[in-house]
């Protein structure tokens, strides 16, 4: 929104059991092709204005938080230069019912999957870790190779690491972590060439995901790795018959 622009906030609860909040501005607007993409993590779109320092994570975090509370968020705009309107709808709950439901059996919230996220950019680390926590994961964050190595013997299930770190790189880091004990690992980086992917796989990363990555893709990858690990464990402990 420009210096002389306006931001309008309205709320209502016209629908029984739901509250609606509308935030409307007179900013740069959103092009039609971006409306379905702006809630993806790291997506920055093509709106006018200086993007320096913008990671494209704010709306992704907002969507995760709102959906975790049973609501939804939508965006509308007439296009570039026409401002934008965001509508949030949330269910209302009676006071006596306002307690979190027990997690379903087998859900991520009760699975106890622990993740070590290695990311040196503070905003990215915060956004990704909070989004994963909302999905039910136990997430610890390390901002450097040194910090990650201090946690080498902690009981985490999956490592998610950027490749470029202030005191080294994710590939060398994984080799050092793997020397301590086996661990599933995902490379999450802005480097996505065929050479980068091959180097990650050769270093021992189980998967390579390129930023921007959708939260759904990241969680699906984690679930797949954990499923494979569980299947491998069952094969090792199941006695042979006969």
């Amino acid at each position: 929104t420009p210096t002389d622009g306006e931001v309008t906030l309205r709320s209502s609860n016209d629908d029984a059991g739901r509250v609606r909040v509308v935030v409307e501005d007179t900013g740069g607007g959103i092009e039609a092709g971006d409306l379905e993409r702006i809630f993806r993590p790291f997506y920055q779109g093509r709106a006018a204005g200086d993007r320096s320092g913008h990671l494209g994570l704010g709306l992704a975090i907002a969507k995760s938080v709102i959906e975790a509370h049973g609501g939804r968020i939508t965006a509308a705009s007439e296009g570039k230069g026409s401002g934008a309107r965001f509508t949030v709808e949330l269910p209302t709950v009676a006071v006596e019912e306002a307690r979190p439901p027990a997690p379903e059996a087998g859900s991520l919230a009760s699975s106890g999957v622990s993740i070590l996220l290695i990311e040196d950019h503070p905003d990215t680390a915060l956004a990704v870790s909070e989004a994963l926590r909302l999905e039910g994961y136990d997430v610890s964050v390390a901002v450097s190779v040194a910090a990650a190595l201090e946690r080498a013997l902690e009981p985490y299930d999956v490592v998610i690491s950027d490749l470029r770190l202030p005191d080294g790189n994710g590939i060398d880091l994984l080799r050092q972590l793997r020397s301590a004990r086996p661990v599933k690992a995902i490379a999450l980086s802005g480097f996505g060439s065929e050479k980068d992917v091959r180097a990650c796989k050769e270093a021992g990363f189980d998967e390579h995901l390129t930023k921007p990555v959708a939260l759904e893709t990241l969680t699906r990858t984690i679930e797949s790795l954990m499923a494979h690990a569980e299947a491998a464990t069952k094969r090792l402990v199941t006695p042979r018959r006969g």
Side-chain angles (χ1 to χ4, degrees):
T1 304
T3 303
D4 58 348
E6 296 181 356
V7 177
T8 304
L9 176 66
R10 302 190 304 273
S11 65
S12 64
N13 57 346
D14 300 334
D15 297 333
R18 298 188 74 81
V19 62
R20 180 182 295 108
V21 179
V22 179
V23 181
E24 194 165 3
D25 66 35
T26 58
I30 305 169
E31 295 187 17
D34 289 329
L35 285 172
E36 296 298 322
R37 304 185 183 98
I38 57 174
F39 295 104
R40 297 177 184 175
F42 304 106
Y43 189 79
Q44 297 185 9
R46 295 163 288 183
D50 180 13
R51 296 190 178 284
S52 58
H54 294 193
L55 294 174
L57 291 168
L59 287 174
I61 296 173
K63 184 174 185 290
S64 295
V65 172
I66 291 165
E67 290 182 348
H69 288 81
R72 67 171 186 160
I73 179 172
T74 57
S77 176
E78 296 299 322
K80 186 175 180 180
S82 300
R85 182 175 67 256
F86 292 89
T87 302
V88 176
E89 293 183 347
L90 289 165
T92 57
V93 182
V95 174
E96 61 271 17
E97 298 175 359
R99 60 174 62 91
E104 298 178 3
S107 69
L108 289 178
S110 61
S111 65
V113 176
S114 59
I115 294 172
L116 176 60
L117 172 65
I118 305 152
E119 170 60 63
D120 65 309
H121 193 290
D123 291 341
T124 303
L126 176 63
V128 175
S129 61
E130 287 303 312
L132 289 174
R133 288 181 184 120
L134 286 170
E135 293 294 316
Y137 295 102
D138 179 14
V139 184
S140 298
V141 178
V143 298
S144 65
V145 170
L149 291 176
E150 289 179 359
R151 298 172 175 266
L153 297 179
E154 292 183 9
Y156 48 82
D157 301 299
V158 179
V159 168
I160 301 175
S161 181
D162 195 359
L163 295 184
R164 180 178 292 178
L165 296 164
D167 56 346
N169 63 74
I171 290 177
D172 290 339
L173 169 61
L174 180 62
R175 292 191 178 109
Q176 295 180 73
L177 292 175
R178 282 268 174 84
S179 68
R181 64 181 182 85
V183 64
K184 296 295 182 181
I186 300 170
L188 181 60
S189 174
F191 300 96
S193 70
E194 184 178 336
K195 179 181 179 181
D196 294 323
V197 174
R198 184 170 60 252
C200 286
K201 292 296 183 69
E202 290 175 352
F205 280 99
D206 298 281
E207 296 290 345
H208 179 286
L209 299 177
T210 305
K211 299 175 184 177
V213 61
L215 179 61
E216 180 183 357
T217 300
L218 181 56
T219 56
R220 187 168 59 244
T221 302
I222 295 170
E223 291 172 11
S224 176
L225 291 181
M226 295 307 300
H228 290 160
E230 183 178 358
T233 300
K234 287 181 178 179
R235 287 196 298 269
L236 288 174
V237 301
T238 301
R240 294 182 179 179
R241 296 183 179 180

